[in-house]
Amino acid sequence: MTNKVREQVKSTLAKRYAAERRFRLFGLVSVMIGLAFLCLMMFTIISKGLPAFTQSYIQLSVNFDLEELEISDVNNEEAVQYADYDSVLKQALYDAFPDVSGRKAKKQFRRFLSSGAGYRVSKQVANNLDWFNTTQDIWVLAGDEVNLFMKGYIRADMPENERQLNDQQMAWLATLKEEGKLKKRFNTAFFQYGDSREPELAGILGALKGSLLTVFVTLLLSFPIGVAAAVYLEEFAPSNWFSDVIEVNINNLAAVPSIVYGLLGLAIFINFFELPRSAPLVGGLVLTLMTLPTIIISSRSALKAVPPSIREAALGLGASKMQVVFHHVVPLAMPGMLTGTIIGMAQALGETAPLLMIGMVAFVVEVPQGITDPATVLPVQIFLWADSPERGFEEKTAAAIMVLLVFLITMNSLAVYLRKQFERRW
Amino acid sequence: MKKIVLMVATALTTLFTAGTSVAAESRDYIYIVGSSTVYPFATVVAEKFGRSTKFKTPKIESTGSGGGLKLFCSGKGAKHPDVTNASRRIKQSEVEKCAKNGIKDIVEVLIGYDGIVMANAKGASSFSLSRKDIYMALAKMVPGKDGKLVANPNKTWKDVNSALPNTKIEVLGPPPSSGTRDAFNELALEGGARKFKDINTLRGLKDGDELKALMAKLGVSSKIYEQIKAKKGKVSGKDIVKVIGRSMREDGHYVEAGENDNLIVQKLVANPNALGIFGFSFLDENRDKVQGTVIDAISPEFETIADGSYPVSRPLYFYAKKAHVGVIPGMKEYLGAFVSKKAMGEDGYLVDKGMIPLGSSEYKAVKAAVEGLIPLKL
């Protein structure tokens, strides 16, 4: 008898081992496929986005002649700020090529300098008032085409009618490059300015700050409300049909498409409460509505996971219901609640659809200073840049995705850290 | 615990009071909505305006022409937009809606023109189509052999016109919500339909026996007649031709590729047999990737759109509320900056962005109207 069982085990053993090996292999393969896609995605984003962190500059000897700039009083801040620096920069560019003359030839220089170059120079000048009436060698922001040339998107071997720079312009740029007067430098401006319609001027700070403010409002509202609701439903609410209805509704709301919350926000916060459109305040309120179900559900399951023996022990020692919950159960459930909140926040950070309805998909140049200023958020910025016709925005889009990913990774690591801090074993 | 509750309560009240107090006050920046076609031009003006004056940079939302006019006409005051961009002219019904909400004086500004182009990947053979070909290739209903309208049977370009290559008709373009699509349907499709004598005659007819006889000859179903009658109360040949001429086929030969024109360009590069429909500025920026299709023997170039010979181009407008001038800081200056020679002129920076400028007499008239803030009369 035992022999027979042994026989049977022996005969099927190889088959069972094979099945297990196969299963492990399948698992490994699926993990590998996932990893491969992730690597591919990261590779394309990073390889496309990295060039955006450098920007081309042209070195020019600029003569800041007060008469030329039509500034009569150097101490008049407004006059210094709004003077026509573009014309002196243009003159400096012509001077760099003394043998080029004629209106038509000079016109070819038109897009070498960025249309915002004068504006950037005006900021430098404001800090260096002693530059006036002297000639300074400064690095001036180059235009988009020059930038594309420096990064190899416009090459000499392309047919002339298919590139945005003609042979003459390419030759001039090559000369500048040889003389060391055309260089790529780290693009600090990308982190200092808001959106722009010129790729070389566009920065991420406006959207980054908009995202921070929006997520801040969301966190401030959704965490306390979500946790309070979860604690009440889990620990205090009587179990009757009313609680059941609420539970079903919360589960349903978690699956409602986010655009619906945008419509709700438009109707309530903007049309009824008359809060300002495009503001992080309204964005935060809408995203609060969206993330609340997620936070409540995960907080409730965290509370459920606290062993009943802890509650019973506390009650047995004479603690009131309130003391049991707030001294013992909630602190133990905190890591789980935090995880749920961070997941909700990450979801809110990546959301665009509801923000469309409340006007956050907008062209906002100024960096928002508070929660009622017009603002956009990072995913919206990515969407807007991806939709722009200028070629230079391709790399900006990828760079913005990188910034968003860094933001997300920071948030998630913070969550892991906080969870480790609060974690307790029982 | 009490502390937490207190904290949350104060946070909530500060948030709301901060919000409402700001909403009640007036704005210190200009608020612009409207067409996604005008958006790339308006944003450039707005940015330069913010940089070169002491006023704040205007905020611009891209809502589409119709959506923009709806917001624009919803009322006066700081809550509502000051300016709306449009890639078509304002309609009578919209002017009436505006008037009902207290907006009497609207300043209309024609800023320039935009060409709509068809293009395919560089390297594939370039196309030369007539508007009639476009209609025959893309319309839902086309005249069959006996002259009666049938569901579009054409599968390849050769079916449309024997001079064209024997490849499958595959056109990528924007969805119906897009202004580009509206304009393309009107100018290219309906323009092509009108090349058929019967359809063109039908367009000139008023409701009556003649109209019904021609409808029967063309095989137009009476359903279309009934639908228009139910909606508008009366029927004209023009309305019927609008339905026949502007309906895009839905059997897979026209593919809706979303509002993102960059995406269409990318798809064209991947699929050399397909044609795409988008704005001229995208063709101009992507000359190394795609080539424009010649329409009615005119190729889509800056010059041909500017002089009006390229058949598929449309005017771009923006509308401003006269009542907001002097109330919202910078309104008059923004209007002035937009119509300045530096921006809208023949050598202006908007031209660099792909806009087709106005002729000089048109430009002078527009500039005068803006300087005098002359309200629109339809």
Side-chain angles (χ1 to χ4, degrees):
Chain A
M1 183 66 194
T2 40
N3 252 354
K4 214 174 173 188
V5 171
R6 200 170 287 156
E7 219 37 21
Q8 206 178 353
V9 168
K10 218 174 185 180
S11 67
T12 56
L13 197 58
K15 214 172 153 191
R16 279 170 29 208
Y17 279 155
E20 191 182 324
R21 271 198 303 276
R22 256 200 320 276
F23 180 75
R24 280 193 188 177
L25 190 71
F26 288 150
L28 195 64
V29 166
S30 39
V31 170
M32 285 299 162
I33 291 175
L35 270 180
F37 277 116
L38 183 70
C39 287
L40 186 72
M41 191 186 86
M42 293 305 266
F43 176 75
T44 40
I45 289 172
I46 291 176
S47 63
K48 265 197 176 172
L50 270 186
F53 294 106
T54 57
Q55 195 70 51
S56 306
Y57 287 80
I58 299 176
Q59 193 184 35
L60 293 174
S61 305
V62 187
N63 181 12
F64 291 98
D65 188 54
L66 279 178
E67 253 169 63
E68 206 59 50
L69 288 164
E70 295 175 2
I71 300 173
S72 47
D73 179 12
V74 185
N75 295 320
N76 182 348
E77 264 179 45
E78 219 166 87
V80 171
Q81 194 183 345
Y82 298 121
D84 188 7
Y85 294 99
D86 282 310
S87 66
V88 291
L89 292 180
K90 230 181 250 172
Q91 191 54 48
L93 186 61
Y94 297 153
D95 293 345
F97 292 91
D99 41 337
V100 178
S101 63
R103 208 176 103 83
K104 214 173 161 198
K106 281 183 175 173
K107 221 175 159 182
Q108 309 239 35
F109 285 125
R110 181 161 80 169
R111 314 231 331 214
F112 274 24
L113 295 182
S114 163
S115 65
Y119 171 70
R120 292 277 165 88
V121 168
S122 80
K123 300 227 147 176
Q124 278 178 289
V125 171
N127 295 325
N128 297 287
L129 290 177
D130 52 332
W131 282 8
F132 285 119
N133 286 333
T134 62
T135 302
Q136 297 284 338
D137 280 339
I138 53 168
W139 289 93
V140 180
L141 186 62
D144 188 32
E145 282 89 357
V146 178
N147 198 34
L148 290 175
F149 164 81
M150 282 301 282
K151 289 174 183 169
Y153 297 110
I154 299 177
R155 291 182 313 274
D157 56 5
M158 289 154 72
E160 190 176 3
N161 60 353
E162 282 178 20
R163 49 179 145 85
Q164 290 138 311
L165 296 168
N166 61 28
D167 288 342
Q168 176 68 72
Q169 289 170 317
M170 298 283 280
W172 284 333
L173 287 178
T175 326
L176 277 175
K177 203 175 162 187
E178 261 169 43
E179 289 172 1
K181 288 186 172 173
L182 176 56
K183 262 194 189 143
K184 285 190 287 185
R185 303 166 79 199
F186 183 71
N187 189 5
T188 43
F190 187 63
F191 299 101
Q192 289 171 339
Y193 289 91
D195 196 6
S196 167
R197 284 285 301 134
E198 308 295 335
E200 73 273 12
L201 294 172
I204 195 80
L205 184 65
L208 192 64
K209 212 162 160 202
S211 264
L212 264 176
L213 289 169
T214 309
V215 169
F216 174 71
V217 172
T218 312
L219 182 68
L220 207 67
L221 292 172
S222 64
F223 184 62
I225 297 176
V227 169
V231 168
Y232 177 78
L233 286 174
E234 200 55 44
E235 303 289 337
F236 297 99
S239 66
N240 53 21
W241 65 270
F242 187 65
S243 306
D244 289 344
V245 169
I246 290 180
E247 177 154 8
V248 169
N249 271 309
I250 289 174
N251 289 339
N252 271 336
L253 282 177
V256 166
S258 55
I259 187 107
V260 175
Y261 293 106
L263 286 167
L264 188 73
L266 176 68
I268 295 179
F269 301 126
I270 292 180
N271 290 344
F272 185 71
F273 284 112
E274 305 204 341
L275 293 177
R277 257 178 96 89
S278 317
L281 171 65
V282 182
L285 284 166
V286 167
L287 293 176
T288 300
L289 294 180
M290 195 194 81
T291 50
L292 263 181
T294 317
I295 296 179
I296 294 176
I297 291 170
S298 60
S299 299
R300 286 188 70 179
S301 51
L303 288 167
K304 256 188 214 139
V306 176
S309 55
I310 288 175
R311 292 188 185 82
E312 282 152 16
L315 281 173
L317 287 172
S320 71
K321 179 90 187 169
M322 178 110 169
Q323 283 171 327
V324 171
V325 170
F326 286 100
H327 294 174
H328 301 280
V329 180
V330 171
L332 285 174
M334 210 32 126
M337 290 178 171
L338 278 178
T339 314
T341 310
I342 296 285
I343 291 173
M345 288 303 117
Q347 207 184 348
L349 187 63
E351 201 57 70
T352 47
L355 302 180
L356 195 77
M357 291 288 123
I358 55 164
M360 285 189 90
V361 181
F363 178 69
V364 181
V365 173
E366 254 135 276
V367 177
Q369 300 301 329
I371 53 171
T372 51
D373 283 348
T376 63
V377 292
L378 283 168
V380 169
Q381 191 66 75
I382 293 168
F383 166 75
L384 288 175
W385 283 350
D387 206 18
S388 301
E390 290 82 6
R391 287 293 282 282
F393 276 117
E394 250 173 54
E395 56 179 41
K396 297 281 170 193
T397 309
I401 295 173
M402 284 165 70
V403 172
L404 179 65
L405 285 177
V406 169
F407 198 149
L408 272 174
I409 292 170
T410 322
M411 257 175 73
N412 283 333
S413 347
L414 187 73
V416 173
Y417 172 75
L418 283 176
R419 203 163 57 205
K420 282 265 155 65
Q421 285 285 306
F422 281 102
E423 203 148 45
R424 261 188 247 175
R425 299 256 159 228
W426 53 73
Chain B
M1 184 61 204
K2 257 185 191 161
K3 252 193 221 159
I4 298 174
V5 172
L6 256 175
M7 260 167 61
V8 171
T10 32
L12 278 175
T13 37
T14 37
L15 279 182
F16 267 93
T17 43
T20 37
S21 65
V22 165
E25 283 166 28
S26 78
R27 259 183 294 117
D28 60 349
Y29 57 90
I30 301 170
Y31 171 25
I32 302 169
V33 293
S35 162
S36 53
T37 315
V38 185
Y39 174 86
F41 307 125
T43 44
V44 174
V45 178
E47 193 185 335
K48 294 216 183 226
F49 172 76
R51 252 190 344 233
S52 59
T53 63
K54 58 181 192 292
F55 301 106
K56 278 197 171 175
T57 308
K59 178 189 87 179
I60 306 184
E61 274 182 56
S62 164
T63 59
S65 303
L69 279 160
K70 201 173 148 197
L71 282 167
F72 181 81
C73 287
S74 57
K76 255 196 303 203
K79 238 180 83 187
H80 304 284
D82 312 309
V83 173
T84 183
N85 302 318
S87 56
R88 60 167 171 81
R89 207 162 181 219
I90 193 168
K91 290 179 193 159
Q92 184 64 45
S93 58
E94 285 159 344
V95 174
E96 280 160 15
K97 200 186 158 212
C98 266
K100 217 174 75 190
N101 289 321
I103 306 151
K104 295 264 156 46
D105 292 336
I106 303 169
V107 181
E108 177 185 71
V109 185
L110 171 67
I111 58 173
Y113 297 93
D114 175 42
I116 299 169
V117 300
M118 292 180 81
N120 63 346
K122 200 107 205 176
S125 58
S126 70
F127 272 81
S128 172
L129 302 171
S130 67
R131 274 183 285 172
K132 193 171 163 184
D133 294 335
I134 297 174
Y135 169 68
M136 288 300 283
L138 293 176
K140 199 172 182 180
M141 291 168 289
V142 296
K145 284 206 177 71
D146 55 351
K148 275 195 195 301
L149 290 176
V150 291
N152 196 336
N154 301 320
K155 296 237 171 345
T156 67
W157 288 103
K158 211 178 168 70
D159 295 341
V160 171
N161 181 340
S162 53
L164 291 170
N166 190 12
T167 47
K168 192 185 156 206
I169 297 171
E170 202 177 351
V171 179
L172 308 170
S177 56
S178 147
T180 313
R181 168 81 171 267
D182 285 345
F184 183 82
N185 285 359
E186 181 189 337
L187 298 164
L189 280 191
E190 195 187 337
R194 285 172 58 191
K195 294 278 155 46
F196 289 92
K197 205 171 142 248
D198 283 341
I199 296 179
N200 204 26
T201 335
L202 179 66
R203 194 166 177 274
L205 293 178
K206 289 212 163 62
D207 196 2
D209 292 341
E210 216 181 327
L211 179 104
K212 281 186 179 153
L214 195 55
M215 273 177 68
K217 188 182 166 203
L218 276 165
V220 180
S221 98
S222 56
K223 243 196 237 158
I224 294 174
Y225 182 91
E226 296 301 332
Q227 268 168 8
I228 295 169
K229 185 137 196 163
K231 206 171 144 201
K232 291 183 80 174
K234 59 180 191 224
V235 181
S236 72
K238 216 171 164 177
D239 295 326
I240 294 172
V241 173
K242 259 187 202 173
V243 177
I244 304 169
R246 297 187 192 178
S247 304
M248 195 68 93
R249 67 196 295 184
E250 290 158 355
D251 53 358
H253 288 283
Y254 178 81
V255 184
E256 281 172 16
E259 292 257 24
N260 187 330
D261 290 356
N262 267 339
L263 207 64
I264 298 182
V265 172
Q266 278 178 26
K267 284 181 180 166
L268 290 182
V269 174
N271 179 359
N273 287 328
L275 283 170
I277 298 170
F278 39 82
F280 174 72
S281 55
F282 283 83
L283 174 67
D284 211 29
E285 286 281 335
N286 292 287
R287 291 257 181 213
D288 56 331
K289 288 184 183 166
V290 290
Q291 54 187 351
T293 299
V294 175
I295 296 179
D296 285 349
I298 311 274
S299 79
E301 295 299 335
F302 182 84
E303 293 76 17
T304 55
I305 301 172
D307 67 16
S309 58
Y310 181 74
V312 197
S313 75
R314 60 176 155 166
L316 304 176
Y317 294 92
F318 74 82
Y319 295 90
K321 286 175 192 164
K322 194 176 172 180
H324 285 200
V325 175
V327 179
I328 304 291
M331 268 295 273
K332 197 169 169 71
E333 289 80 0
Y334 174 76
L335 298 183
F338 212 125
V339 298
S340 70
K341 217 171 185 114
K342 230 166 105 188
M344 249 169 67
E346 271 171 59
D347 274 333
Y349 56 78
L350 288 178
V351 177
D352 288 342
K353 286 279 165 197
M355 193 185 77
I356 315 293
L358 302 174
S360 63
S361 61
E362 267 180 316
Y363 174 68
K364 272 181 200 148
V366 166
K367 195 162 184 189
V370 169
E371 271 159 12
L373 293 173
I374 299 164
L376 160 85
K377 280 193 193 78
L378 273 187

